Amino acid sequence: VIVGGGEAGFDAALHVLDEAGDPNDGDEAGLKPRVILIDRGSGSGEGADSGGAGKVDDPSTTLTPITRARVEEARKKYRNLFQIEEGCECTEIGEEVSETGRKVFLAKYRSSRTNRVTTVSSEAPVILATGFNLSQSKTCCLNGICDWDESGRPVLTQDCDEVERTKGVFVVGPMVKHNVDVAEKIGGEEDGPKSSCKKLTTAPEVPTSKEEVIFCFIYKFRCRFALVAGEILSRLIAEYHSVQTNSDGTVVVDEEGHKKLDMVERTCRFYQEKGMLITDLSCAVCGDVEGSC
């Protein structure tokens, strides 16, 4: 029994099935273990972590295309040996001793469609593949120095992923998430060519909407590394090469400082040209992690 319908959950399920071997081999086919995966996704592939066959633009919130293909292949190969309970929330995990004296592990889950509660059992411990909430961790190094949003991620500035509550602390990696205001625009033929990117459509703007940008995959969060590094270097250069601080807070640096700042700027521009730096979060909304949109 596996709880969690994201990358980790489906990858674990596929490994267990593959370890069991070909379900059509020999007379022992009926003895092969059955995998039950409890997925709280909507069942259409459009939920938060569903492995269904629907289309989701942002793979941060569903399966990557390669994993989705592996799941579909496993469904055909293992058929009833691979059971996916979609649209279900695991409510309880426990264990008991069977009549034969063997320990049995239990999992209860509730269907969001019927509200029915089902109990399944396994001789192997239940595998939890539900991720983790850093805001609930007593050992997280960010405790006490940052605020947390409703999803358990640190609240950061959008310009350089700095902790809003504590200046000088930056966060990189899969926990970075931003809520971006994106202008909805309606384009027409007379306005010029349309674009799939909301930022590029040419018609007049209407009120903005909130879009989530989640940097949970390496190809996404690596595009913010140079941004954070450049910000830290720029602040250090300004601190050590400052000759004057103006009334508006801007810092004037010496000639050596200007050379170093120029080097930082050129390096960041190089990363951006290689698709390894994104500064405009609206580009991430439309799926362009290279920021070229």
Side-chain angles (χ1 to χ4, degrees), residues 243-260:
V243 294
Q244 178 182 327
T245 301
N246 298 325
S247 57
D248 60 358
T250 57
V251 176
V252 178
V253 298
D254 58 24
E255 183 177 353
E256 184 65 23
H258 275 291
K259 292 180 180 179
K260 292 180 178 179

Side-chain angles (χ1 to χ4, degrees), residues 18 55 67 80 89 96 103 132 162 188 219 223 227 251 284:
D18 289 340
K55 180 180 183 298
T67 301
N80 63 314
E89 186 84 20
E96 65 180 19
K103 182 183 291 187
F132 53 92
E162 184 177 20
Y219 82 93
C223 293
L227 178 72
V251 176

Side-chain angles (χ1 to χ4, degrees), residues 70-88:
R70 291 172 62 208
V71 170
E72 293 307 313
E73 181 181 350
R75 278 175 154 169
K76 296 176 183 177
K77 179 179 180 180
Y78 296 103
R79 297 182 296 279
N80 63 314
L81 299 182
F82 186 17
Q83 179 180 337
I84 302 176
E85 295 292 342
E86 296 179 312
C88 296

Side-chain angles (χ1 to χ4, degrees), residues 11 19-20 37 48 59-60 65 71 79 86 88 174 186 191 195 203 217 225 233 248 251 268:
D11 190 60
E19 284 295 315
L37 185 142
S60 301
V71 170
R79 297 182 296 279
E86 296 179 312
C88 296
I186 304 174
D191 299 317
S195 167
F217 289 146
F225 287 165
L233 284 170
D248 60 358
V251 176
C268 287

Side-chain angles (χ1 to χ4, degrees), residues 30-52:
L31 300 178
K32 299 296 183 182
R34 181 178 63 165
V35 173
I36 300 176
L37 185 142
I38 303 171
D39 175 12
R40 68 181 177 184
S42 66
S44 65
E46 298 175 356
D49 51 0
S50 174

Side-chain angles (χ1 to χ4, degrees), residues 154-168:
V155 178
L156 310 172
T157 63
Q158 293 188 6
D159 57 341
C160 60
D161 297 345
E162 184 177 20
V163 173
E164 281 194 356
R165 183 173 161 187
T166 307
K167 186 177 177 60

